[in-house]
Amino acid sequence: MKYPTKLSDAAHILAFIALHPECDLTSGKLAESVQTNPAYVRQLMSAMRKGGLLLSVKGHPKPALAREPARISLLDIYRAVEGDKPLLHQDTHTNPACGVGMNIQLALQSFYMDIQQAAENRMRQITLRDILDQYHARVKESSK
Amino acid sequence: MKYPTKLSDAAHILAFIALHPECDLTSGKLAESVQTNPAYVRQLMSAMRKGGLLLSVKGHPKPALAREPARISLLDIYRAVEGDKPLLHQDTHTNPACGVGMNIQLALQSFYMDIQQAAENRMRQITLRDILDQYHARVKESSK
DNA sequence: GCTGTAGTTATTATATTTTTTACAGCAACA
DNA sequence: TGTTGCTGTAAAAAATATAATAACTACAGC
């Protein structure tokens, strides 16, 4: 497992916080659920705090969402933890002296942006609220 | 630069072949344009041959598209060189004993599939023909 | 047969991600 | 006010995926 899973882990953390508003959620407890280490959790939380998604205070374990789940989209989370990293990557290391290759890559660029837009539009529509709803549906289903 | 650029490189190779139907295109010449080594080019070509996009014969440098550019989509190329690797990756290593975390990841899964679908739909619409058209437009533009 | 190239596999190098370690600073509480 | 536990942050280490490289066999064309 060395593919980037920051988005998954970050969403996991946010959902966990939303589901346990009363408890003391230490980075250790969150790390236990994600099965990672507390420092990594704090790194992700730090990124999300900077991204305006999370509120937390140094010293005591009471993280809280900065706004309601319906107003936190997957794209927001992605931006917070991955920045503007695209889903598809161009080869920026082609031969600059080859005009043909250069123009092929430039042509590709515009299409990659289209694909990125298509994915981002979908990510913008999916909110933490949706994820929580889906979570509850699954819990209900499995308890039947 | 260690992000996956196989799709970009594969599309580059296909476009280059489409643009030079007369020439002897050795893996070395293609590698020169992509600025990589011939063996890597051959690996990508091998994947695309297995994916039914490319025709080539061992021993002589005459690669050819298996079908017309308008019938080769970016998704075809992606499938050929990346298989079914998703754009977003779940964290499959969360704590199995944590039912909450488990269900959060399962909930995420369905949304990731949506995003993947959105991206793939766009990739399916973009063909090598489109890329070549865009290429020609850029060449024309830059020669003005 | 000789030469050049494709096809394939294995190894190495490099970049990126995650893990781990460490420590200063704040909150809660006795 | 001192102690404890946690956060926030940085930096170094480990893990691993990707591309680069090397090496080999096999085929085409001359």
Side-chain angles (χ1 to χ4, degrees):
Chain A
M1 194 265 289
K2 217 56 172 201
Y3 288 109
T5 56
K6 281 195 280 194
L7 177 63
S8 292
D9 295 335
H12 190 136
I13 290 167
L14 288 183
F16 208 95
I17 291 172
L19 289 169
H20 302 87
E22 307 301 328
C23 316
D24 277 10
L25 283 185
T26 65
S27 56
K29 281 183 193 165
L30 288 166
E32 203 175 322
S33 175
V34 182
Q35 193 154 86
T36 180
N37 58 81
Y40 178 55
V41 170
R42 292 201 293 270
Q43 281 171 23
L44 290 176
M45 288 176 73
S46 176
M48 290 194 282
R49 188 158 23 80
K50 283 168 187 163
L53 306 181
L54 204 62
L55 303 171
S56 58
V57 181
K58 185 190 287 191
H60 72 158
K62 298 254 198 293
L65 302 183
R67 53 181 189 261
E68 57 205 282
R71 293 183 54 230
I72 297 178
S73 73
L74 254 191
L75 184 59
D76 292 331
I77 307 174
Y78 186 87
R79 284 268 185 278
V81 298
E82 299 279 18
D84 56 0
K85 193 178 84 173
L87 262 22
L88 291 173
H89 295 269
Q90 293 216 225
D91 188 343
T92 57
H93 207 265
T94 56
N95 190 344
C98 175
V100 176
M102 187 60 91
N103 279 304
I104 293 174
Q105 287 294 325
L106 286 172
L108 268 179
Q109 189 169 49
S110 58
F111 293 110
Y112 276 22
M113 285 170 64
D114 283 354
I115 296 165
Q116 182 76 26
Q117 273 305 312
E120 290 192 1
N121 285 341
R122 193 74 197 84
M123 289 173 78
R124 210 190 323 271
Q125 288 165 8
I126 299 165
T127 69
L128 184 56
R129 173 83 278 144
D130 298 322
I131 296 167
L132 293 170
D133 287 348
Q134 182 75 38
Y135 166 83
H136 286 120
R138 288 187 177 273
V139 170
K140 202 174 182 181
E141 186 64 32
S142 62
S143 69
K144 260 193 211 163
Chain B
M1 197 263 290
K2 215 57 171 201
Y3 288 109
T5 57
K6 280 195 281 197
L7 177 63
S8 292
D9 296 334
H12 190 134
I13 290 167
L14 288 184
F16 208 95
I17 290 171
L19 289 168
H20 301 87
E22 307 303 326
C23 317
D24 277 10
L25 283 184
T26 65
S27 56
K29 280 183 193 164
L30 288 165
E32 205 175 320
S33 175
V34 181
Q35 194 154 88
T36 180
N37 58 81
Y40 177 57
V41 170
R42 293 200 294 270
Q43 283 170 21
L44 291 176
M45 288 175 73
S46 176
M48 290 195 280
R49 188 160 22 80
K50 283 168 189 164
L53 306 181
L54 203 62
L55 302 171
S56 57
V57 180
K58 187 190 285 189
H60 74 157
K62 297 253 198 295
L65 303 182
R67 53 182 190 258
E68 58 206 279
R71 293 184 54 229
I72 297 178
S73 74
L74 254 190
L75 183 59
D76 291 331
I77 307 175
Y78 186 86
R79 285 268 183 280
V81 297
E82 299 278 18
D84 55 1
K85 194 179 86 175
L87 261 22
L88 292 173
H89 295 269
Q90 293 215 226
D91 189 343
T92 56
H93 207 265
T94 56
N95 190 343
C98 175
V100 176
M102 186 61 90
N103 280 304
I104 292 173
Q105 286 295 325
L106 286 172
L108 267 181
Q109 190 169 49
S110 58
F111 293 111
Y112 277 21
M113 284 169 65
D114 283 355
I115 297 165
Q116 183 77 25
Q117 272 304 312
E120 290 191 2
N121 285 341
R122 193 75 196 86
M123 288 172 80
R124 211 189 323 270
Q125 288 164 8
I126 300 165
T127 70
L128 184 56
R129 172 81 278 145
D130 297 322
I131 297 167
L132 293 171
D133 287 348
Q134 183 75 37
Y135 165 84
H136 285 120
R138 288 187 178 274
V139 170
K140 201 172 181 182
E141 186 65 32
S142 62
S143 70
K144 259 190 211 165

